[in-house]
Amino acid sequence: MIVERFKGGDAASVYRRFRDRGRLAPEGLRYVNSWVAEGLERCFQLMETEDRARLDAWMANWSDLVEFEVYAVVTSAEAQARIAPRL
């Protein structure tokens, strides 16, 4: 899960680049879905990859416009399976 904070709250620059150049994701990085805060200052993206370097390459393409936080996440079902032995 990626939390993107648009630098200076400038969503227009982010969306302009996306319109003009696309997601700029390398091969092997898959976009799943995203949600944008109503104030248009932050985006939450779910991405999938087996190689963290691909994620880093994608973030480098946007780092002039976006600050990133990265969280490795699992599905609720996987979390339940992991915790079940401790219940």
Side-chain angles (χ1 to χ4, degrees):
M1 174 68 72
I2 313 300
V3 179
E4 301 179 357
R5 286 186 175 77
F6 305 145
K7 290 183 178 180
D10 186 9
S13 292
V14 174
Y15 280 90
R16 187 175 301 113
R17 180 175 297 167
F18 181 76
R19 179 197 65 200
D20 295 345
R21 299 179 57 198
R23 193 164 309 280
L24 300 172
E27 183 84 22
L29 179 63
R30 186 174 85 84
Y31 167 80
V32 177
N33 208 338
S34 61
W35 303 263
V36 179
E38 286 187 2
L40 303 178
E41 76 285 352
R42 189 173 304 146
C43 179
F44 305 88
Q45 285 202 60
L46 190 56
M47 307 287 275
E48 287 183 338
T49 186
E50 296 295 324
D51 183 355
R52 171 62 193 248
R54 292 177 178 140
L55 186 61
D56 292 337
W58 169 72
M59 291 187 298
N61 290 328
W62 295 94
S63 63
D64 59 323
L65 300 176
V66 177
E67 294 174 352
F68 295 93
E69 293 178 49
V70 178
Y71 299 92
V73 297
V74 297
T75 66
S76 295
E78 187 175 340
Q80 184 179 7
R82 288 184 185 184
I83 199 71
R86 297 191 291 177
L87 298 179

